[in-house]
Amino acid sequence: GGLDAALFAAWAEEIAAAVRADRDRLTALDSAIGDADHGANLDRGFTAVAEALAGGRPDTPGALLSLVGNTLIRKVGGASGPLYGMAFREAGKALGDAPAVSLADLDEALAAGLAGIRKLGSATEGDKTMVDALAPALRALTQAVQEGQDPAEAVGAAAEAALAGAQATIPMQARKGRASYLGPRSVGHEDPGAASTALIVRALHAAVSR
Amino acid sequence: GGLDAALFAAWAEEIAAAVRADRDRLTALDSAIGDADHGANLDRGFTAVAEALAGGRPDTPGALLSLVGNTLIRKVGGASGPLYGMAFREAGKALGDAPAVSLADLDEALAAGLAGIRKLGSATEGDKTMVDALAPALRALTQAVQEGQDPAEAVGAAAEAALAGAQATIPMQARKGRASYLGPRSVGHEDPGAASTALIVRALHAAVSR
Amino acid sequence: MKKLINSADSVVTDALRGLAAAHPDLRVDVKNQFVARASGPRRGKVGLVSGGGSGHEPLHAGFVGYGMLDAACPGEIFTSPVPDQVIAASSAVDGGAGVLHVVKNYTGDVLNFGMAAELCADEGVEVATVVVDDDVAVRDSLYTAGRRGTGATVFVEKIAGAAAEAGAPLAEVRRVAEEVNSRSRSFGVALSACTTPAAGVPTFELGDDEVELGIGIHGEPGRTRSAMRGARELVRVAMDALHEDMPLDGDVLVMVNGMGGTPLIELYVAFAEVAAYLEEKGATLSRNLVGDYITSLDMQGFSVTACLLTPELTRLWDAPVQTPALRWGR
Amino acid sequence: MKKLINSADSVVTDALRGLAAAHPDLRVDVKNQFVARASGPRRGKVGLVSGGGSGHEPLHAGFVGYGMLDAACPGEIFTSPVPDQVIAASSAVDGGAGVLHVVKNYTGDVLNFGMAAELCADEGVEVATVVVDDDVAVRDSLYTAGRRGTGATVFVEKIAGAAAEAGAPLAEVRRVAEEVNSRSRSFGVALSACTTPAAGVPTFELGDDEVELGIGIHGEPGRTRSAMRGARELVRVAMDALHEDMPLDGDVLVMVNGMGGTPLIELYVAFAEVAAYLEEKGATLSRNLVGDYITSLDMQGFSVTACLLTPELTRLWDAPVQTPALRWGR
Ligand SMILES: Nc1ncnc2c1ncn2[C@@H]1O[C@H](COP(=O)(O)OP(=O)(O)O)[C@@H](O)[C@H]1O
Ligand SMILES: Nc1ncnc2c1ncn2[C@@H]1O[C@H](COP(=O)(O)OP(=O)(O)O)[C@@H](O)[C@H]1O
Ligand SMILES: [Mg+2]
Ligand SMILES: [Mg+2]
Ligand SMILES: [Mg+2]
Ligand SMILES: [Mg+2]
């Protein structure tokens, strides 16, 4: 396969830029059903990731994603820090030390990441969390891989599914995380973590389309 | 003379009603250059006065004004409590124990009241205090008495002078009381104590005109 | 939004510098972002470590000192600390008898402290954890992240701190902490939202005639929005919620806590109503706190926390404590 | 306006009921509206009585107790107490050695305490008075009512209280009180106005980019309105005002005081800047208080008070104190 460390570094940088640009939107979403810090949290985390990468880029996709995950765990805090951190770490672990990986490898790695989130946060689809964006994104990606689509096409489909998944959290009542405290009042708002997941998958699309 | 205890009791009741009606205006004036309590202070004081009178009216004008003064001192607090309290007390003292007093007696008694305020607060005219309404009111009253006007006319002239005096505090810079802390920023606002003095003299006019 | 800060990004570290300047009894590690007793760990004493997002001051750093916490890990505003902070603090205060983590039940706190505990174990620091979940506004069910941890945290930190100071072993300190938590309930009411420095606008908008009932401590909206009422009625809503969940009886420790922007005179007005309520129920107002102990930045409102005391808990509550925000007996 | 009260008229008495329920060490006389130590006067000890409008909590009732005040007389919101209250309190605490009135320099306080002092003398209670006037924002001249009394009141009450507790005679307690006042200066900054229950609307309107400099504690506008700035710059304005009036040098006791609605984390941010300023001037930050001690209801903002210590004043500051709002050493 042809996805190398440079591609994954580009992904991380795309995320950092996207989070910075959408920081206030994410915080506003978190204001409605949370504690108004999601944008600041991810901005702090991915700024640290970008700095770490500027200081020296790991050679392999696996090491790179592990670095992203560990940096998020060390810098973000909150619920999203450990969850995203664990996801990138597990994805990195799944990629092993290959210098470049295939789209199918990436699909498997992201599935390992999702499993990490699920294990740590024990959320299932419909709980109004980041899982509601990541799970459909992965289904779309897996299917596209099976259909033999090229990376840009396949990840594009995943990004669309993530966005749709995030939108679909609007009518849900939260059952996990801070928004669950609101009970029925959590209905009618997009989940901030699902929204940021959609950003993250869109950033991957941007990276593979470069 | 013909001003008896009933007349002075009517005055106190007129003040209580006027203060109640203008409570918010007085507080708003005090908000601008003070601490937003003048209306509440006087309302509390004159409500207590009205209650005290309802419980038993003193027989003489002198005793009645002393009761008003002592009640204000016991109930109002702040700067205006001792100042108005002392004024009524000194006025009451000046009236002695006559069962009824003349307009000239009243004029002298109010002069004693003003002297009490001046002694306690050491304000002079132009300092932007209640003195700026009471002093011109007394000048008008004294002159009207000398001209032999009847009580309603004479006190009417005093009430007009008090109102004009209160208005004249607007361009002044405060040199006494809380408003003095504002320095030049006290300019452009009517002094709340001068405004309440105008109310009090107007209430006297209402009482003598009944 | 106007805040007495230099910048939204530096508020936590700037405040830590202020804390260090104000309290020579504290060792403030600005780099690793934790606050510990300057005296260092005491050999054989269980260490107590807590932490959570900033914006709840004096919680937690204000409770570091003799008879209470050994260290606190302040995260960013309303954001749980990261595992590194907790690991650094736990290692710094371990006197060989292990460390108790006092964690408020929020997903972020539980996850970050949980990761830290695993890594502490790897480093040879024995860690036990108590998760505080006293907020009756949230039903503990499959459909929520469980009850939130709020006011009882102060009670747990004080009472478990006294047990640790007295030399109790880790299992015993944890038992006491869990007992305090299980005997405590809280309920919060907001008269206004708060504004985080990062967001710059209030977390929600409340009308002049509205209140939020059942709020947490992170500026989230509460369980329900309701009509504004007098202090007596608002206190009754809160006390009824506590009493329904845990009948108030016997000796009670009560905290009437301000959310950060509530004048103290109003907290005393509320406390008078709390005392009247307890009397009505036949419970004894045995110990109390009235003031700002666990806040939400500039929010106006209050919370009530009640703990059903036992003779042991009362004794531990009364034991000397010397921290910036709670002090008696020395 | 939303306030945690039952009614604007009952807020002071309601809060007094709460104070009584919370602090069994205090005797709260709701009828005569004063708060005294439950233990009563000590034979031969000078009594310390203070008072002023309510809305400044914990001042003054929060400072009644061992080592500080013997009694406090709370007036209505922002309104000086009436002479009757002061007379009743002074009589109640007189142990035969006389009573010191601690009065903040406001026309109303000075007049009402003055009347009370005269009447106390008639009743055989010896009264001395110290008038606190530490606010450098107001120039003391023929053209003002003189400097206002603000933050130094806390220092005077603590330090004179310690002298009285140690058995100093009335003249000596007054001398110490006057020394504290003459060595102390304050300056206040408002980020927002406050709202009194009676008025129901903020006492002034401030834009989002404005602050009031040189405020008192009654929600009055300050000396000047100015552009909003960061904590460092605002603290510098306040510290420069103190330093210009009284060069900061040697051992300094500093209070960074919140006006009632300021989050504690912001006060620590400000305190860091105060500490840096003192270091820059070569003065020694010897003792400090950070928190809400003399407030203006829900106002956001802060004041800084500095006192140039002497060894005697430091010793008296360090002496044990046990009140609802200030406690150490017992
Ligand atoms: N148990 C969980 N499983 C999966 N995702 C979760 C869980 N709890 C919270 N989240 C996600 O985390 C997001 C909130 O992140 P953030 O605001 O950074 O943390 P916090 O809630 O601690 O302030 C939520 O919008 C949600 O998507
Ligand atoms: N020294 C003084 N002499 C005369 N009148 C004064 C003096 N000081 C204050 N006043 C009057 O008192 C009024 C304020 O009364 P009030 O608001 O009830 O008391 P406070 O200023 O204590 O809140 C001022 O408007 C002014 O007219
Ligand atoms: Mg959040
Ligand atoms: Mg006033
Ligand atoms: Mg958070
Ligand atoms: Mg007043």
Side-chain angles (χ1 to χ4, degrees):
Chain A
L3 307 174
D4 60 4
L7 179 278
F8 285 91
W11 181 22
E13 280 149 18
E14 290 282 352
I15 300 174
V19 163
R20 171 64 53 91
D22 271 18
R23 176 186 157 125
D24 291 348
R25 182 176 67 89
L26 294 176
T27 291
L29 291 177
D30 198 26
S31 220
I33 56 170
D35 59 350
D37 62 355
H38 192 57
N41 286 349
L42 292 192
D43 189 19
R44 187 171 58 253
F46 283 99
T47 300
V49 165
E51 275 168 19
L53 291 180
R57 202 177 77 199
D59 289 336
T60 65
L64 200 136
L65 290 192
S66 296
L67 175 67
V68 172
N70 287 326
T71 305
L72 294 180
I73 288 172
R74 279 195 304 102
K75 292 292 177 184
V76 175
S80 59
L83 290 167
Y84 277 134
M86 187 61 86
F88 280 97
R89 220 153 78 165
E90 294 290 312
K93 211 192 284 177
L95 292 180
D97 53 9
V101 300
S102 70
L103 191 61
D105 294 334
L106 172 63
D107 183 39
E108 260 175 53
L110 294 184
L114 173 60
I117 291 177
R118 280 202 162 120
K119 182 158 171 248
L120 206 57
S122 53
T124 56
E125 277 182 85
D127 284 355
K128 195 177 182 113
T129 69
M130 50 178 67
V131 170
D132 292 308
L134 190 52
L138 269 168
R139 278 196 295 274
L141 184 63
T142 307
Q143 195 189 328
V145 170
Q146 283 165 355
E147 289 170 1
Q149 291 181 19
D150 72 21
E153 255 183 307
V155 178
E160 265 172 47
L163 196 63
Q167 297 292 329
T169 62
I170 295 176
M172 294 177 185
Q173 173 167 339
R175 286 191 295 241
K176 282 283 177 275
R178 200 177 283 293
S180 71
Y181 304 141
L182 285 174
R185 293 179 79 188
S186 63
V187 170
H189 302 274
E190 185 179 350
D191 177 65
S196 60
T197 292
L199 279 189
I200 289 170
V201 184
R202 197 183 67 198
L204 179 59
H205 181 239
V208 297
S209 313
R210 265 193 192 174
Chain B
L3 307 175
D4 59 4
L7 179 278
F8 285 91
W11 181 21
E13 281 149 16
E14 291 283 351
I15 301 174
V19 163
R20 171 66 51 93
D22 272 18
R23 176 187 157 124
D24 290 348
R25 183 175 66 89
L26 294 175
T27 290
L29 291 176
D30 199 26
S31 220
I33 56 170
D35 59 350
D37 63 355
H38 191 57
N41 286 348
L42 292 192
D43 189 19
R44 185 171 60 253
F46 283 100
T47 300
V49 165
E51 275 168 19
L53 290 179
R57 203 177 76 199
D59 289 337
T60 66
L64 200 135
L65 291 192
S66 296
L67 175 68
V68 171
N70 287 326
T71 304
L72 295 180
I73 288 173
R74 279 195 302 103
K75 292 293 178 184
V76 175
S80 60
L83 291 166
Y84 277 134
M86 187 60 87
F88 280 97
R89 221 155 75 166
E90 294 290 312
K93 211 192 284 174
L95 292 179
D97 53 9
V101 299
S102 69
L103 191 61
D105 294 335
L106 173 62
D107 183 37
E108 261 175 53
L110 295 184
L114 173 59
I117 291 176
R118 279 202 164 119
K119 182 158 171 249
L120 205 57
S122 52
T124 56
E125 277 181 84
D127 284 355
K128 195 176 183 118
T129 70
M130 48 178 66
V131 170
D132 291 309
L134 190 52
L138 269 168
R139 278 196 294 275
L141 184 62
T142 306
Q143 195 188 327
V145 170
Q146 283 165 353
E147 289 171 2
Q149 292 181 19
D150 72 19
E153 255 183 305
V155 178
E160 265 172 45
L163 196 62
Q167 297 290 329
T169 62
I170 295 176
M172 294 177 186
Q173 174 168 338
R175 284 190 298 241
K176 281 284 177 275
R178 199 178 282 293
S180 72
Y181 304 142
L182 286 174
R185 294 180 80 188
S186 63
V187 170
H189 303 274
E190 185 179 351
D191 177 64
S196 60
T197 292
L199 278 189
I200 288 170
V201 185
R202 198 183 66 198
L204 179 59
H205 181 239
V208 298
S209 312
R210 264 193 194 172
Chain C
M1 172 205 57
K2 269 178 295 180
K3 300 206 167 277
L4 184 58
I5 60 176
N6 290 314
S7 75
D9 291 338
S10 68
V11 53
V12 173
T13 45
D14 285 349
L16 284 177
R17 288 188 301 115
L19 199 75
H23 305 291
D25 285 359
L26 298 182
R27 170 186 157 210
V28 179
D29 187 330
V30 178
K31 188 173 154 283
N32 293 305
Q33 225 160 302
F34 71 84
V35 177
R37 304 188 196 179
S39 54
R42 208 177 79 213
R43 192 80 226 135
K45 179 188 154 327
V46 168
L48 237 74
V49 174
S50 191
S54 291
H56 308 303
E57 290 66 27
L59 194 83
H60 295 273
F63 298 130
V64 175
Y66 182 89
M68 215 161 162
L69 296 179
D70 290 274
C73 306
E76 291 299 314
I77 299 283
F78 290 171
T79 303
S80 337
V82 297
D84 284 4
Q85 290 172 262
V86 180
I87 296 165
S90 301
S91 310
V93 307
D94 183 26
V99 174
L100 181 71
H101 287 178
V102 180
V103 181
K104 300 190 293 304
N105 190 34
Y106 292 98
T107 305
D109 293 76
V110 170
L111 295 182
N112 286 283
F113 271 92
M115 284 188 164
E118 276 182 34
L119 292 162
C120 280
D122 294 351
E123 291 186 16
V125 177
E126 191 187 351
V127 170
T129 301
V130 57
V131 176
V132 181
D133 60 345
D134 56 315
D135 183 356
V136 299
V138 176
R139 255 164 257 311
D140 189 6
S141 78
L142 273 177
Y143 306 110
T144 65
R147 281 183 158 163
R148 291 177 290 215
T150 58
T153 315
V154 179
F155 295 171
V156 169
E157 292 177 2
K158 168 67 186 81
I159 291 176
E165 208 65 65
L170 183 56
E172 174 68 5
V173 176
R174 178 177 41 191
R175 179 194 64 74
V176 167
E178 276 170 352
E179 188 171 358
V180 174
N181 180 54
S182 73
R183 299 176 73 89
S184 297
R185 299 290 186 278
S186 293
F187 190 92
V189 175
L191 271 57
S192 76
C194 62
T195 302
T196 65
V201 291
T203 47
F204 51 84
E205 289 295 344
L206 262 185
D208 244 16
D209 49 354
E210 295 173 323
V211 289
E212 285 280 336
L213 302 178
I215 53 151
I217 56 169
H218 296 91
E220 319 95 320
R223 292 289 292 187
T224 46
R225 183 163 294 196
S226 164
M228 176 64 188
R229 277 160 277 184
R232 184 161 308 135
E233 291 75 32
L234 290 178
V235 164
R236 181 161 290 274
V237 168
M239 295 302 287
D240 279 346
L242 303 194
H243 187 65
E244 236 167 65
D245 201 85
M246 177 186 77
L248 297 165
D249 190 32
D251 283 352
V252 186
L253 160 64
V254 178
M255 174 168 73
V256 167
N257 170 65
M259 300 313 294
T262 315
L264 186 54
I265 192 171
E266 298 182 20
L267 297 182
Y268 275 109
V269 168
F271 189 75
E273 303 305 334
V274 168
Y277 187 97
L278 287 176
E279 196 176 320
E280 182 189 313
K281 298 294 177 208
T284 305
L285 177 55
S286 173
R287 298 288 186 281
N288 70 82
L289 291 178
V290 182
D292 282 7
Y293 293 97
I294 169 168
T295 59
S296 296
L297 294 171
D298 57 344
M299 177 179 275
Q300 291 199 317
F302 71 103
S303 62
V304 191
T305 304
C307 173
L308 303 183
L309 289 168
T310 64
E312 180 193 31
L313 298 186
T314 304
R315 190 173 46 71
L316 291 168
W317 178 258
D318 288 344
V321 59
Q322 181 174 346
T323 71
L326 214 61
R327 184 166 179 178
W328 55 73
R330 45 187 275 159
Chain D
M1 172 205 57
K2 270 177 294 180
K3 301 208 167 276
L4 184 59
I5 61 176
N6 290 313
S7 75
D9 291 338
S10 68
V11 52
V12 174
T13 46
D14 285 349
L16 284 178
R17 288 189 298 115
L19 199 74
H23 305 292
D25 284 359
L26 299 182
R27 171 187 156 211
V28 179
D29 188 331
V30 178
K31 188 171 154 288
N32 293 305
Q33 226 163 302
F34 71 86
V35 177
R37 302 189 196 179
S39 55
R42 208 176 79 212
R43 192 80 225 135
K45 179 188 155 326
V46 167
L48 238 74
V49 174
S50 191
S54 291
H56 308 303
E57 290 66 27
L59 193 82
H60 295 274
F63 298 129
V64 175
Y66 181 88
M68 214 160 163
L69 296 179
D70 290 275
C73 306
E76 292 299 314
I77 300 283
F78 290 171
T79 304
S80 337
V82 297
D84 284 4
Q85 292 172 259
V86 180
I87 296 164
S90 301
S91 310
V93 306
D94 183 25
V99 173
L100 180 72
H101 287 177
V102 180
V103 181
K104 299 189 294 304
N105 190 34
Y106 292 97
T107 306
D109 292 75
V110 170
L111 294 183
N112 285 284
F113 271 91
M115 286 188 163
E118 276 182 34
L119 292 162
C120 280
D122 294 351
E123 291 186 15
V125 177
E126 190 186 354
V127 170
T129 300
V130 57
V131 177
V132 181
D133 60 345
D134 56 315
D135 183 356
V136 300
V138 176
R139 255 162 257 310
D140 189 7
S141 78
L142 274 176
Y143 305 111
T144 65
R147 281 182 158 162
R148 291 176 291 213
T150 59
T153 315
V154 178
F155 295 172
V156 169
E157 293 178 0
K158 167 67 185 80
I159 291 175
E165 208 65 64
L170 183 55
E172 175 67 7
V173 176
R174 179 180 37 194
R175 180 194 62 75
V176 167
E178 277 170 351
E179 188 172 358
V180 174
N181 180 54
S182 72
R183 300 176 74 88
S184 297
R185 300 290 187 278
S186 293
F187 190 91
V189 176
L191 272 57
S192 76
C194 63
T195 302
T196 65
V201 291
T203 48
F204 52 83
E205 288 295 344
L206 262 185
D208 244 16
D209 49 354
E210 294 174 323
V211 289
E212 285 280 336
L213 302 177
I215 53 151
I217 56 168
H218 296 91
E220 318 96 320
R223 293 289 292 187
T224 46
R225 184 163 293 196
S226 164
M228 176 62 188
R229 274 160 280 183
R232 184 160 308 135
E233 290 74 32
L234 289 178
V235 164
R236 182 161 289 273
V237 169
M239 296 302 287
D240 279 345
L242 304 194
H243 186 66
E244 237 167 65
D245 201 85
M246 177 186 76
L248 297 165
D249 189 33
D251 284 351
V252 186
L253 160 64
V254 178
M255 174 168 72
V256 167
N257 170 65
M259 300 312 294
T262 315
L264 186 54
I265 192 170
E266 298 181 21
L267 297 182
Y268 275 108
V269 169
F271 189 75
E273 304 305 334
V274 168
Y277 187 97
L278 287 176
E279 197 176 317
E280 182 189 314
K281 297 295 176 205
T284 306
L285 176 56
S286 173
R287 299 288 186 279
N288 71 82
L289 290 178
V290 182
D292 282 7
Y293 293 98
I294 168 169
T295 60
S296 296
L297 293 171
D298 57 344
M299 178 180 275
Q300 291 199 318
F302 72 103
S303 64
V304 191
T305 304
C307 173
L308 303 183
L309 290 168
T310 64
E312 181 194 29
L313 298 187
T314 303
R315 190 174 43 73
L316 291 168
W317 178 259
D318 288 343
V321 60
Q322 182 174 347
T323 71
L326 214 59
R327 183 166 181 178
W328 56 73
R330 44 187 276 158

